[in-house]
Amino acid sequence: DAKTTQPNSMESNEEEPVHLPCNHSTISGTDYIHWYRQLPSQGPEYVIHGLTSNVNNRMASLAIAEDRKSSTLILHRATLRDAAVYYCILKGQNFVFGPGTRLSVLP
Amino acid sequence: SQTIHQWPATLVQPVGSPLSLECTVEGTSNPNLYWYRQAAGRGLQLLFYSVGIGQISSEVPQNLSASRPQDRQFILSSKKLLLSDSGFYLCAWSGGVGYEKLFFGSGTQLSVL
């Protein structure tokens, strides 16, 4: 499974947009880009996924670069409840998680 | 709707004792099943995955084993626990078309003393 690279941590102010980047330069043509987030003492939860086109859902938006070598998870208005570790994953045969980005939201 | 059950929620075991963690999925058939482990403050490590009954793939050589005796049942076992087996164990499932997402159970916090 291809690897992803994310910043270790990011900070955001409450009610401001957050852009979480992910690099995946070795992505293959059939790999889906998935994002999950994990709150403390809980299992990860699905956020969004896409293949080539940008995607929107009630939780977030996913912007995928034209060459698919990077993507950005966009939280349009961060809340304190969005503080979590965010994982970017390339879904090939398996779901292999990297260390993720720890997002802190400041009131 | 699909649900995943994992138990127990917490477990304290002495070194050298056996382990059995069970996970069951309801509301779907022939799911792909996964066991992950998360050490304190660390990311998720894929331990085992299964695409069908009796089909187990191991990602990391270790003191643990997995079995899938029924379509929607996944068991993680150890004959003798080590201190390094402590961690947060998560079971997860994914399905076919329309269910490519990964759904996690609530996890088991295992402390080996």
Side-chain angles (χ1 to χ4, degrees):
Chain A
D1 295 285
K3 288 188 176 180
T4 62
T5 304
Q6 299 177 254
N8 290 333
S9 62
M10 291 184 65
E11 270 189 3
S12 172
N13 293 319
E14 197 175 9
E15 298 190 2
E16 290 187 356
V18 182
H19 289 65
L20 297 165
C22 181
N23 288 319
H24 28 78
S25 59
T26 59
I27 190 171
S28 71
T30 57
D31 285 341
Y32 277 82
I33 302 162
H34 282 238
W35 283 82
Y36 292 78
R37 72 179 186 181
Q38 186 177 22
L39 301 172
S41 302
Q42 295 184 27
E45 65 172 343
Y46 168 83
V47 177
I48 201 166
H49 78 283
L51 184 62
T52 56
S53 302
N54 294 343
V55 184
N56 299 294
N57 66 22
R58 64 175 180 81
M59 289 181 70
S61 295
L62 176 60
I64 301 173
E66 195 169 336
D67 63 6
R68 299 209 328 125
K69 293 185 177 182
S70 65
S71 61
T72 302
L73 179 71
I74 303 166
L75 307 179
H76 296 286
R77 289 185 64 205
T79 70
L80 296 177
R81 288 173 294 180
D82 291 323
V85 178
Y86 287 79
Y87 299 99
C88 169
I89 300 161
L90 299 183
K91 168 62 173 69
Q93 182 180 15
N94 270 326
F95 295 86
V96 179
F97 286 73
T101 296
R102 182 172 298 278
L103 176 66
S104 301
V105 180
L106 306 177
Chain B
S1 63
Q2 300 79 26
T3 56
I4 179 169
H5 302 280
Q6 186 181 345
W7 66 92
T10 60
L11 190 60
V12 180
Q13 292 285 99
V15 169
S17 64
L19 173 73
S20 180
L21 300 180
E22 188 166 342
C23 171
T24 59
V25 180
E26 295 179 355
T28 187
S29 60
N30 197 30
N32 295 330
L33 297 173
Y34 307 81
W35 278 111
Y36 288 87
R37 177 172 63 195
Q38 187 170 36
R42 307 291 296 275
L44 278 78
Q45 179 186 34
L46 178 62
L47 301 176
F48 301 95
Y49 70 93
S50 172
V51 298
I53 296 175
Q55 300 178 61
I56 309 294
S57 295
S58 174
E59 290 295 299
V60 181
Q62 60 220 323
N63 184 41
L64 303 169
S65 61
S67 61
R68 185 170 177 173
Q70 300 180 42
D71 181 45
R72 291 169 290 174
Q73 183 185 30
F74 206 22
I75 298 172
L76 182 70
S77 304
S78 173
K79 292 182 179 178
K80 288 186 178 181
L81 283 170
L82 306 172
L83 288 174
S84 57
D85 291 323
S86 294
F88 190 43
Y89 287 81
L90 289 154
C91 180
W93 76 273
S94 69
V97 175
Y99 292 95
E100 295 91 354
K101 305 174 235 183
L102 196 59
F103 299 91
F104 282 87
S106 53
T108 296
Q109 184 65 52
L110 172 66
S111 299
V112 182
L113 304 177

mmCIF file of all heavy atoms in Angstrom, chain A residues 1 32 34 36 38 41-46 49 87 89 91 93-99 102, chain B residues 32 34 36 38 41-46 49 59 88 90 94 100-107:
data_model
loop_
_atom_site.group_PDB
_atom_site.id
_atom_site.type_symbol
_atom_site.label_atom_id
_atom_site.label_comp_id
_atom_site.label_asym_id
_atom_site.label_seq_id
_atom_site.Cartn_x
_atom_site.Cartn_y
_atom_site.Cartn_z
ATOM 1 N N ASP A 1 0.839 -1.198 0.000
ATOM 2 C CA ASP A 1 0.000 0.000 0.000
ATOM 3 C C ASP A 1 0.875 1.250 0.000
ATOM 4 O O ASP A 1 1.864 1.321 0.718
ATOM 5 C CB ASP A 1 -0.902 0.009 1.248
ATOM 6 C CG ASP A 1 -1.894 -1.134 1.238
ATOM 7 O OD1 ASP A 1 -2.867 -1.039 0.482
ATOM 8 O OD2 ASP A 1 -1.675 -2.107 1.958
ATOM 9 N N TYR A 32 -8.043 4.775 -3.763
ATOM 10 C CA TYR A 32 -8.935 5.807 -3.252
ATOM 11 C C TYR A 32 -8.227 6.543 -2.104
ATOM 12 O O TYR A 32 -7.460 5.960 -1.356
ATOM 13 C CB TYR A 32 -10.226 5.193 -2.714
ATOM 14 C CG TYR A 32 -11.246 4.908 -3.786
ATOM 15 C CD1 TYR A 32 -11.163 3.750 -4.551
ATOM 16 C CD2 TYR A 32 -12.308 5.779 -4.021
ATOM 17 C CE1 TYR A 32 -12.109 3.488 -5.532
ATOM 18 C CE2 TYR A 32 -13.256 5.511 -4.998
ATOM 19 C CZ TYR A 32 -13.142 4.369 -5.747
ATOM 20 O OH TYR A 32 -14.069 4.105 -6.714
ATOM 21 N N HIS A 34 -8.722 8.207 1.371
ATOM 22 C CA HIS A 34 -9.654 8.211 2.505
ATOM 23 C C HIS A 34 -9.128 9.105 3.601
ATOM 24 O O HIS A 34 -7.918 9.166 3.848
ATOM 25 C CB HIS A 34 -9.793 6.794 3.081
ATOM 26 C CG HIS A 34 -10.666 5.876 2.306
ATOM 27 N ND1 HIS A 34 -11.776 5.268 2.856
ATOM 28 C CD2 HIS A 34 -10.611 5.460 1.022
ATOM 29 C CE1 HIS A 34 -12.360 4.509 1.945
ATOM 30 N NE2 HIS A 34 -11.671 4.608 0.827
ATOM 31 N N TYR A 36 -9.894 9.725 7.824
ATOM 32 C CA TYR A 36 -10.550 9.325 9.058
ATOM 33 C C TYR A 36 -10.067 10.244 10.168
ATOM 34 O O TYR A 36 -9.001 10.859 10.061
ATOM 35 C CB TYR A 36 -10.214 7.870 9.417
ATOM 36 C CG TYR A 36 -10.805 6.869 8.454
ATOM 37 C CD1 TYR A 36 -10.203 6.646 7.219
ATOM 38 C CD2 TYR A 36 -11.969 6.181 8.766
ATOM 39 C CE1 TYR A 36 -10.758 5.771 6.317
ATOM 40 C CE2 TYR A 36 -12.529 5.296 7.860
ATOM 41 C CZ TYR A 36 -11.916 5.097 6.637
ATOM 42 O OH TYR A 36 -12.472 4.229 5.738
ATOM 43 N N GLN A 38 -9.769 10.469 14.650
ATOM 44 C CA GLN A 38 -9.875 9.714 15.892
ATOM 45 C C GLN A 38 -9.898 10.662 17.071
ATOM 46 O O GLN A 38 -8.935 11.417 17.293
ATOM 47 C CB GLN A 38 -8.691 8.744 16.029
ATOM 48 C CG GLN A 38 -8.796 7.823 17.219
ATOM 49 C CD GLN A 38 -7.670 6.828 17.292
ATOM 50 O OE1 GLN A 38 -6.599 7.027 16.718
ATOM 51 N NE2 GLN A 38 -7.897 5.724 18.001
ATOM 52 N N SER A 41 -9.548 8.103 23.024
ATOM 53 C CA SER A 41 -10.142 6.876 23.571
ATOM 54 C C SER A 41 -11.271 6.303 22.716
ATOM 55 O O SER A 41 -12.123 5.557 23.219
ATOM 56 C CB SER A 41 -10.659 7.117 25.001
ATOM 57 O OG SER A 41 -9.615 7.553 25.834
ATOM 58 N N GLN A 42 -11.279 6.638 21.445
ATOM 59 C CA GLN A 42 -12.290 6.086 20.544
ATOM 60 C C GLN A 42 -11.613 5.506 19.312
ATOM 61 O O GLN A 42 -10.453 5.811 19.016
ATOM 62 C CB GLN A 42 -13.278 7.165 20.104
ATOM 63 C CG GLN A 42 -14.118 7.745 21.224
ATOM 64 C CD GLN A 42 -15.148 8.737 20.713
ATOM 65 O OE1 GLN A 42 -15.583 8.657 19.562
ATOM 66 N NE2 GLN A 42 -15.547 9.669 21.559
ATOM 67 N N GLY A 43 -12.354 4.659 18.595
ATOM 68 C CA GLY A 43 -11.863 4.195 17.316
ATOM 69 C C GLY A 43 -11.999 5.287 16.270
ATOM 70 O O GLY A 43 -12.823 6.189 16.415
ATOM 71 N N PRO A 44 -11.203 5.234 15.218
ATOM 72 C CA PRO A 44 -11.333 6.235 14.153
ATOM 73 C C PRO A 44 -12.722 6.202 13.521
ATOM 74 O O PRO A 44 -13.383 5.156 13.495
ATOM 75 C CB PRO A 44 -10.258 5.812 13.140
ATOM 76 C CG PRO A 44 -9.268 5.034 13.940
ATOM 77 C CD PRO A 44 -10.086 4.323 14.976
ATOM 78 N N GLU A 45 -13.131 7.336 13.009
ATOM 79 C CA GLU A 45 -14.391 7.416 12.276
ATOM 80 C C GLU A 45 -14.141 7.973 10.887
ATOM 81 O O GLU A 45 -13.252 8.808 10.674
ATOM 82 C CB GLU A 45 -15.419 8.282 13.018
ATOM 83 C CG GLU A 45 -15.046 9.731 13.141
ATOM 84 C CD GLU A 45 -16.175 10.590 13.712
ATOM 85 O OE1 GLU A 45 -17.337 10.141 13.723
ATOM 86 O OE2 GLU A 45 -15.872 11.726 14.129
ATOM 87 N N TYR A 46 -14.928 7.483 9.956
ATOM 88 C CA TYR A 46 -14.812 7.906 8.561
ATOM 89 C C TYR A 46 -15.185 9.379 8.420
ATOM 90 O O TYR A 46 -16.126 9.866 9.053
ATOM 91 C CB TYR A 46 -15.751 7.048 7.718
ATOM 92 C CG TYR A 46 -15.970 7.533 6.315
ATOM 93 C CD1 TYR A 46 -15.059 7.233 5.310
ATOM 94 C CD2 TYR A 46 -17.106 8.268 5.990
ATOM 95 C CE1 TYR A 46 -15.274 7.665 4.007
ATOM 96 C CE2 TYR A 46 -17.324 8.703 4.693
ATOM 97 C CZ TYR A 46 -16.410 8.403 3.707
ATOM 98 O OH TYR A 46 -16.615 8.829 2.432
ATOM 99 N N HIS A 49 -14.042 10.337 1.445
ATOM 100 C CA HIS A 49 -13.091 9.699 0.543
ATOM 101 C C HIS A 49 -13.401 10.098 -0.891
ATOM 102 O O HIS A 49 -14.523 10.547 -1.195
ATOM 103 C CB HIS A 49 -13.076 8.172 0.706
ATOM 104 C CG HIS A 49 -14.214 7.449 0.044
ATOM 105 N ND1 HIS A 49 -15.492 7.414 0.569
ATOM 106 C CD2 HIS A 49 -14.257 6.716 -1.095
ATOM 107 C CE1 HIS A 49 -16.267 6.684 -0.202
ATOM 108 N NE2 HIS A 49 -15.563 6.251 -1.225
ATOM 109 N N TYR A 87 -6.297 11.205 9.894
ATOM 110 C CA TYR A 87 -5.485 10.270 9.110
ATOM 111 C C TYR A 87 -5.882 10.327 7.638
ATOM 112 O O TYR A 87 -7.066 10.235 7.299
ATOM 113 C CB TYR A 87 -5.706 8.838 9.594
ATOM 114 C CG TYR A 87 -5.326 8.566 11.024
ATOM 115 C CD1 TYR A 87 -6.295 8.553 12.027
ATOM 116 C CD2 TYR A 87 -4.008 8.299 11.376
ATOM 117 C CE1 TYR A 87 -5.958 8.281 13.340
ATOM 118 C CE2 TYR A 87 -3.670 8.026 12.689
ATOM 119 C CZ TYR A 87 -4.647 8.022 13.662
ATOM 120 O OH TYR A 87 -4.308 7.747 14.963
ATOM 121 N N ILE A 89 -5.347 8.227 4.200
ATOM 122 C CA ILE A 89 -5.017 6.853 3.860
ATOM 123 C C ILE A 89 -5.267 6.615 2.388
ATOM 124 O O ILE A 89 -6.235 7.111 1.830
ATOM 125 C CB ILE A 89 -5.914 5.888 4.655
ATOM 126 C CG1 ILE A 89 -5.732 6.067 6.138
ATOM 127 C CG2 ILE A 89 -5.643 4.443 4.264
ATOM 128 C CD1 ILE A 89 -6.875 5.489 6.911
ATOM 129 N N LYS A 91 -6.407 3.811 0.041
ATOM 130 C CA LYS A 91 -7.062 2.508 0.125
ATOM 131 C C LYS A 91 -6.713 1.706 -1.114
ATOM 132 O O LYS A 91 -7.253 1.924 -2.183
ATOM 133 C CB LYS A 91 -8.567 2.685 0.259
ATOM 134 C CG LYS A 91 -9.395 1.414 0.069
ATOM 135 C CD LYS A 91 -9.077 0.358 1.086
ATOM 136 C CE LYS A 91 -10.025 -0.820 0.982
ATOM 137 N NZ LYS A 91 -9.847 -1.605 -0.245
ATOM 138 N N GLN A 93 -5.194 -2.445 -1.261
ATOM 139 C CA GLN A 93 -5.697 -3.707 -0.752
ATOM 140 C C GLN A 93 -6.175 -3.551 0.684
ATOM 141 O O GLN A 93 -7.120 -4.196 1.111
ATOM 142 C CB GLN A 93 -4.601 -4.765 -0.824
ATOM 143 C CG GLN A 93 -5.050 -6.142 -0.348
ATOM 144 C CD GLN A 93 -3.958 -7.172 -0.430
ATOM 145 O OE1 GLN A 93 -2.783 -6.820 -0.589
ATOM 146 N NE2 GLN A 93 -4.296 -8.427 -0.341
ATOM 147 N N ASN A 94 -5.481 -2.730 1.438
ATOM 148 C CA ASN A 94 -5.787 -2.587 2.854
ATOM 149 C C ASN A 94 -5.878 -1.131 3.252
ATOM 150 O O ASN A 94 -5.560 -0.236 2.482
ATOM 151 C CB ASN A 94 -4.681 -3.248 3.689
ATOM 152 C CG ASN A 94 -4.970 -4.687 3.960
ATOM 153 O OD1 ASN A 94 -6.124 -5.064 4.120
ATOM 154 N ND2 ASN A 94 -3.946 -5.503 4.010
ATOM 155 N N PHE A 95 -6.303 -0.936 4.489
ATOM 156 C CA PHE A 95 -6.313 0.399 5.084
ATOM 157 C C PHE A 95 -5.108 0.479 6.014
ATOM 158 O O PHE A 95 -5.140 -0.050 7.118
ATOM 159 C CB PHE A 95 -7.595 0.609 5.900
ATOM 160 C CG PHE A 95 -8.861 0.611 5.097
ATOM 161 C CD1 PHE A 95 -9.511 -0.575 4.799
ATOM 162 C CD2 PHE A 95 -9.422 1.797 4.652
ATOM 163 C CE1 PHE A 95 -10.692 -0.590 4.069
ATOM 164 C CE2 PHE A 95 -10.606 1.802 3.929
ATOM 165 C CZ PHE A 95 -11.234 0.605 3.639
ATOM 166 N N VAL A 96 -4.047 1.134 5.571
ATOM 167 C CA VAL A 96 -2.830 1.263 6.370
ATOM 168 C C VAL A 96 -2.735 2.698 6.873
ATOM 169 O O VAL A 96 -2.653 3.634 6.076
ATOM 170 C CB VAL A 96 -1.584 0.889 5.551
ATOM 171 C CG1 VAL A 96 -0.333 1.051 6.403
ATOM 172 C CG2 VAL A 96 -1.694 -0.547 5.049
ATOM 173 N N PHE A 97 -2.751 2.848 8.184
ATOM 174 C CA PHE A 97 -2.758 4.178 8.793
ATOM 175 C C PHE A 97 -1.333 4.645 9.072
ATOM 176 O O PHE A 97 -0.513 3.876 9.563
ATOM 177 C CB PHE A 97 -3.519 4.143 10.124
ATOM 178 C CG PHE A 97 -5.011 4.049 9.974
ATOM 179 C CD1 PHE A 97 -5.612 2.876 9.562
ATOM 180 C CD2 PHE A 97 -5.822 5.139 10.255
ATOM 181 C CE1 PHE A 97 -6.984 2.783 9.419
ATOM 182 C CE2 PHE A 97 -7.201 5.048 10.124
ATOM 183 C CZ PHE A 97 -7.782 3.876 9.703
ATOM 184 N N GLY A 98 -1.057 5.907 8.794
ATOM 185 C CA GLY A 98 0.187 6.542 9.206
ATOM 186 C C GLY A 98 -0.021 7.219 10.551
ATOM 187 O O GLY A 98 -1.029 7.003 11.218
ATOM 188 N N PRO A 99 0.909 8.063 10.984
ATOM 189 C CA PRO A 99 0.796 8.725 12.286
ATOM 190 C C PRO A 99 -0.297 9.789 12.334
ATOM 191 O O PRO A 99 -0.776 10.132 13.412
ATOM 192 C CB PRO A 99 2.167 9.387 12.494
ATOM 193 C CG PRO A 99 3.034 8.881 11.426
ATOM 194 C CD PRO A 99 2.196 8.322 10.335
ATOM 195 N N ARG A 102 -2.311 15.722 14.315
ATOM 196 C CA ARG A 102 -3.081 16.069 15.509
ATOM 197 C C ARG A 102 -3.538 17.513 15.377
ATOM 198 O O ARG A 102 -2.714 18.437 15.345
ATOM 199 C CB ARG A 102 -2.234 15.902 16.766
ATOM 200 C CG ARG A 102 -3.006 16.205 18.063
ATOM 201 C CD ARG A 102 -2.188 15.848 19.295
ATOM 202 N NE ARG A 102 -1.896 14.432 19.341
ATOM 203 C CZ ARG A 102 -2.736 13.513 19.793
ATOM 204 N NH1 ARG A 102 -3.930 13.854 20.240
ATOM 205 N NH2 ARG A 102 -2.382 12.239 19.808
ATOM 206 N N ASN B 32 -14.936 -7.726 4.972
ATOM 207 C CA ASN B 32 -13.508 -7.800 5.256
ATOM 208 C C ASN B 32 -13.335 -7.370 6.714
ATOM 209 O O ASN B 32 -13.925 -6.383 7.144
ATOM 210 C CB ASN B 32 -12.723 -6.859 4.339
ATOM 211 C CG ASN B 32 -12.813 -7.278 2.889
ATOM 212 O OD1 ASN B 32 -12.952 -8.452 2.574
ATOM 213 N ND2 ASN B 32 -12.751 -6.314 1.999
ATOM 214 N N TYR B 34 -10.726 -6.676 10.177
ATOM 215 C CA TYR B 34 -9.386 -6.197 10.511
ATOM 216 C C TYR B 34 -9.210 -6.153 12.019
ATOM 217 O O TYR B 34 -10.142 -5.840 12.760
ATOM 218 C CB TYR B 34 -9.166 -4.777 9.971
ATOM 219 C CG TYR B 34 -9.449 -4.603 8.499
ATOM 220 C CD1 TYR B 34 -10.755 -4.441 8.036
ATOM 221 C CD2 TYR B 34 -8.417 -4.577 7.561
ATOM 222 C CE1 TYR B 34 -11.024 -4.273 6.692
ATOM 223 C CE2 TYR B 34 -8.676 -4.403 6.204
ATOM 224 C CZ TYR B 34 -9.983 -4.252 5.776
ATOM 225 O OH TYR B 34 -10.250 -4.072 4.441
ATOM 226 N N TYR B 36 -6.562 -4.007 14.535
ATOM 227 C CA TYR B 36 -5.514 -2.999 14.666
ATOM 228 C C TYR B 36 -5.114 -2.903 16.134
ATOM 229 O O TYR B 36 -5.898 -3.185 17.035
ATOM 230 C CB TYR B 36 -6.014 -1.615 14.227
ATOM 231 C CG TYR B 36 -6.219 -1.438 12.748
ATOM 232 C CD1 TYR B 36 -7.427 -1.788 12.150
ATOM 233 C CD2 TYR B 36 -5.217 -0.887 11.949
ATOM 234 C CE1 TYR B 36 -7.627 -1.605 10.791
ATOM 235 C CE2 TYR B 36 -5.412 -0.700 10.586
ATOM 236 C CZ TYR B 36 -6.614 -1.060 10.017
ATOM 237 O OH TYR B 36 -6.810 -0.874 8.676
ATOM 238 N N GLN B 38 -3.133 -0.037 18.813
ATOM 239 C CA GLN B 38 -2.613 1.312 18.987
ATOM 240 C C GLN B 38 -1.936 1.397 20.338
ATOM 241 O O GLN B 38 -2.597 1.311 21.374
ATOM 242 C CB GLN B 38 -3.740 2.338 18.878
ATOM 243 C CG GLN B 38 -3.279 3.768 18.870
ATOM 244 C CD GLN B 38 -4.404 4.724 18.530
ATOM 245 O OE1 GLN B 38 -5.551 4.514 18.910
ATOM 246 N NE2 GLN B 38 -4.089 5.794 17.793
ATOM 247 N N GLY B 41 -0.357 6.863 22.662
ATOM 248 C CA GLY B 41 0.203 8.012 21.972
ATOM 249 C C GLY B 41 0.737 7.740 20.576
ATOM 250 O O GLY B 41 1.410 8.594 19.999
ATOM 251 N N ARG B 42 0.424 6.588 20.041
ATOM 252 C CA ARG B 42 0.950 6.201 18.727
ATOM 253 C C ARG B 42 -0.172 6.032 17.712
ATOM 254 O O ARG B 42 -1.361 6.110 18.035
ATOM 255 C CB ARG B 42 1.741 4.895 18.849
ATOM 256 C CG ARG B 42 2.828 4.908 19.910
ATOM 257 C CD ARG B 42 3.967 5.815 19.545
ATOM 258 N NE ARG B 42 4.675 5.371 18.355
ATOM 259 C CZ ARG B 42 5.661 4.469 18.369
ATOM 260 N NH1 ARG B 42 6.059 3.923 19.507
ATOM 261 N NH2 ARG B 42 6.261 4.121 17.244
ATOM 262 N N GLY B 43 0.233 5.751 16.469
ATOM 263 C CA GLY B 43 -0.740 5.511 15.411
ATOM 264 C C GLY B 43 -1.253 4.087 15.429
ATOM 265 O O GLY B 43 -0.897 3.281 16.281
ATOM 266 N N LEU B 44 -2.108 3.761 14.456
ATOM 267 C CA LEU B 44 -2.713 2.440 14.381
ATOM 268 C C LEU B 44 -1.821 1.492 13.574
ATOM 269 O O LEU B 44 -1.371 1.824 12.490
ATOM 270 C CB LEU B 44 -4.081 2.504 13.701
ATOM 271 C CG LEU B 44 -5.239 2.921 14.570
ATOM 272 C CD1 LEU B 44 -5.240 4.417 14.778
ATOM 273 C CD2 LEU B 44 -6.546 2.479 13.955
ATOM 274 N N GLN B 45 -1.622 0.310 14.122
ATOM 275 C CA GLN B 45 -0.830 -0.718 13.453
ATOM 276 C C GLN B 45 -1.764 -1.842 13.023
ATOM 277 O O GLN B 45 -2.458 -2.426 13.855
ATOM 278 C CB GLN B 45 0.238 -1.252 14.413
ATOM 279 C CG GLN B 45 1.100 -2.353 13.827
ATOM 280 C CD GLN B 45 2.048 -2.947 14.842
ATOM 281 O OE1 GLN B 45 1.730 -3.047 16.017
ATOM 282 N NE2 GLN B 45 3.238 -3.316 14.394
ATOM 283 N N LEU B 46 -1.773 -2.129 11.726
ATOM 284 C CA LEU B 46 -2.594 -3.231 11.233
ATOM 285 C C LEU B 46 -1.953 -4.555 11.627
ATOM 286 O O LEU B 46 -0.790 -4.812 11.311
ATOM 287 C CB LEU B 46 -2.743 -3.143 9.719
ATOM 288 C CG LEU B 46 -3.551 -4.257 9.046
ATOM 289 C CD1 LEU B 46 -4.990 -4.271 9.551
ATOM 290 C CD2 LEU B 46 -3.522 -4.094 7.529
ATOM 291 N N TYR B 49 -5.825 -9.116 8.818
ATOM 292 C CA TYR B 49 -7.043 -8.864 8.083
ATOM 293 C C TYR B 49 -7.521 -10.172 7.466
ATOM 294 O O TYR B 49 -6.738 -11.103 7.260
ATOM 295 C CB TYR B 49 -6.872 -7.767 7.029
ATOM 296 C CG TYR B 49 -6.014 -8.133 5.840
ATOM 297 C CD1 TYR B 49 -6.579 -8.652 4.679
ATOM 298 C CD2 TYR B 49 -4.642 -7.908 5.872
ATOM 299 C CE1 TYR B 49 -5.785 -8.961 3.589
ATOM 300 C CE2 TYR B 49 -3.852 -8.205 4.779
ATOM 301 C CZ TYR B 49 -4.425 -8.729 3.648
ATOM 302 O OH TYR B 49 -3.639 -9.036 2.562
ATOM 303 N N GLU B 59 0.023 -9.042 9.158
ATOM 304 C CA GLU B 59 0.844 -7.938 8.690
ATOM 305 C C GLU B 59 2.145 -7.811 9.455
ATOM 306 O O GLU B 59 3.134 -7.314 8.937
ATOM 307 C CB GLU B 59 0.059 -6.616 8.795
ATOM 308 C CG GLU B 59 -1.071 -6.503 7.806
ATOM 309 C CD GLU B 59 -0.579 -6.450 6.366
ATOM 310 O OE1 GLU B 59 0.162 -5.506 6.027
ATOM 311 O OE2 GLU B 59 -0.911 -7.368 5.588
ATOM 312 N N PHE B 88 -4.354 -0.447 22.811
ATOM 313 C CA PHE B 88 -5.771 -0.284 22.470
ATOM 314 C C PHE B 88 -6.018 -1.099 21.205
ATOM 315 O O PHE B 88 -5.441 -0.808 20.161
ATOM 316 C CB PHE B 88 -6.043 1.206 22.250
ATOM 317 C CG PHE B 88 -7.493 1.578 22.135
ATOM 318 C CD1 PHE B 88 -8.449 1.047 22.985
ATOM 319 C CD2 PHE B 88 -7.909 2.498 21.175
ATOM 320 C CE1 PHE B 88 -9.785 1.413 22.888
ATOM 321 C CE2 PHE B 88 -9.246 2.870 21.073
ATOM 322 C CZ PHE B 88 -10.185 2.327 21.925
ATOM 323 N N LEU B 90 -8.394 -2.554 18.253
ATOM 324 C CA LEU B 90 -9.578 -2.146 17.516
ATOM 325 C C LEU B 90 -9.897 -3.153 16.425
ATOM 326 O O LEU B 90 -9.028 -3.554 15.650
ATOM 327 C CB LEU B 90 -9.357 -0.773 16.873
ATOM 328 C CG LEU B 90 -9.325 0.404 17.841
ATOM 329 C CD1 LEU B 90 -8.518 1.541 17.261
ATOM 330 C CD2 LEU B 90 -10.738 0.861 18.153
ATOM 331 N N SER B 94 -14.957 -3.703 6.606
ATOM 332 C CA SER B 94 -15.315 -2.969 5.396
ATOM 333 C C SER B 94 -16.034 -3.943 4.480
ATOM 334 O O SER B 94 -15.948 -5.162 4.661
ATOM 335 C CB SER B 94 -14.087 -2.375 4.705
ATOM 336 O OG SER B 94 -13.277 -3.396 4.159
ATOM 337 N N GLU B 100 -17.073 0.731 0.889
ATOM 338 C CA GLU B 100 -15.621 0.674 0.898
ATOM 339 C C GLU B 100 -15.020 1.335 2.122
ATOM 340 O O GLU B 100 -13.835 1.251 2.366
ATOM 341 C CB GLU B 100 -15.054 1.362 -0.358
ATOM 342 C CG GLU B 100 -15.407 0.663 -1.657
ATOM 343 C CD GLU B 100 -16.690 1.175 -2.271
ATOM 344 O OE1 GLU B 100 -17.369 2.007 -1.627
ATOM 345 O OE2 GLU B 100 -17.015 0.746 -3.382
ATOM 346 N N LYS B 101 -15.836 2.012 2.905
ATOM 347 C CA LYS B 101 -15.325 2.674 4.095
ATOM 348 C C LYS B 101 -15.006 1.651 5.166
ATOM 349 O O LYS B 101 -15.504 0.523 5.161
ATOM 350 C CB LYS B 101 -16.389 3.626 4.649
ATOM 351 C CG LYS B 101 -16.914 4.639 3.670
ATOM 352 C CD LYS B 101 -18.049 5.415 4.290
ATOM 353 C CE LYS B 101 -19.287 5.358 3.444
ATOM 354 N NZ LYS B 101 -20.368 6.176 4.014
ATOM 355 N N LEU B 102 -14.193 2.092 6.124
ATOM 356 C CA LEU B 102 -13.816 1.257 7.251
ATOM 357 C C LEU B 102 -14.618 1.696 8.460
ATOM 358 O O LEU B 102 -14.694 2.892 8.765
ATOM 359 C CB LEU B 102 -12.318 1.426 7.504
ATOM 360 C CG LEU B 102 -11.597 0.403 8.361
ATOM 361 C CD1 LEU B 102 -11.721 -0.984 7.757
ATOM 362 C CD2 LEU B 102 -10.134 0.784 8.513
ATOM 363 N N PHE B 103 -15.230 0.714 9.118
ATOM 364 C CA PHE B 103 -16.027 1.006 10.308
ATOM 365 C C PHE B 103 -15.381 0.311 11.502
ATOM 366 O O PHE B 103 -15.133 -0.892 11.466
ATOM 367 C CB PHE B 103 -17.459 0.489 10.130
ATOM 368 C CG PHE B 103 -18.179 1.115 8.976
ATOM 369 C CD1 PHE B 103 -18.129 0.540 7.711
ATOM 370 C CD2 PHE B 103 -18.908 2.277 9.143
ATOM 371 C CE1 PHE B 103 -18.790 1.114 6.638
ATOM 372 C CE2 PHE B 103 -19.582 2.858 8.077
ATOM 373 C CZ PHE B 103 -19.517 2.284 6.821
ATOM 374 N N PHE B 104 -15.162 1.076 12.568
ATOM 375 C CA PHE B 104 -14.446 0.556 13.726
ATOM 376 C C PHE B 104 -15.384 0.219 14.878
ATOM 377 O O PHE B 104 -16.431 0.862 15.073
ATOM 378 C CB PHE B 104 -13.432 1.591 14.227
ATOM 379 C CG PHE B 104 -12.179 1.649 13.414
ATOM 380 C CD1 PHE B 104 -12.107 2.459 12.296
ATOM 381 C CD2 PHE B 104 -11.065 0.897 13.765
ATOM 382 C CE1 PHE B 104 -10.954 2.522 11.531
ATOM 383 C CE2 PHE B 104 -9.902 0.955 13.015
ATOM 384 C CZ PHE B 104 -9.851 1.770 11.896
ATOM 385 N N GLY B 105 -14.969 -0.765 15.661
ATOM 386 C CA GLY B 105 -15.613 -1.037 16.931
ATOM 387 C C GLY B 105 -15.137 -0.036 17.973
ATOM 388 O O GLY B 105 -14.316 0.834 17.689
ATOM 389 N N SER B 106 -15.637 -0.209 19.185
ATOM 390 C CA SER B 106 -15.330 0.754 20.251
ATOM 391 C C SER B 106 -13.993 0.477 20.923
ATOM 392 O O SER B 106 -13.522 1.287 21.710
ATOM 393 C CB SER B 106 -16.448 0.748 21.293
ATOM 394 O OG SER B 106 -16.676 -0.567 21.742
ATOM 395 N N GLY B 107 -13.373 -0.653 20.629
ATOM 396 C CA GLY B 107 -12.030 -0.917 21.110
ATOM 397 C C GLY B 107 -11.955 -1.601 22.456
ATOM 398 O O GLY B 107 -12.889 -1.552 23.266
#
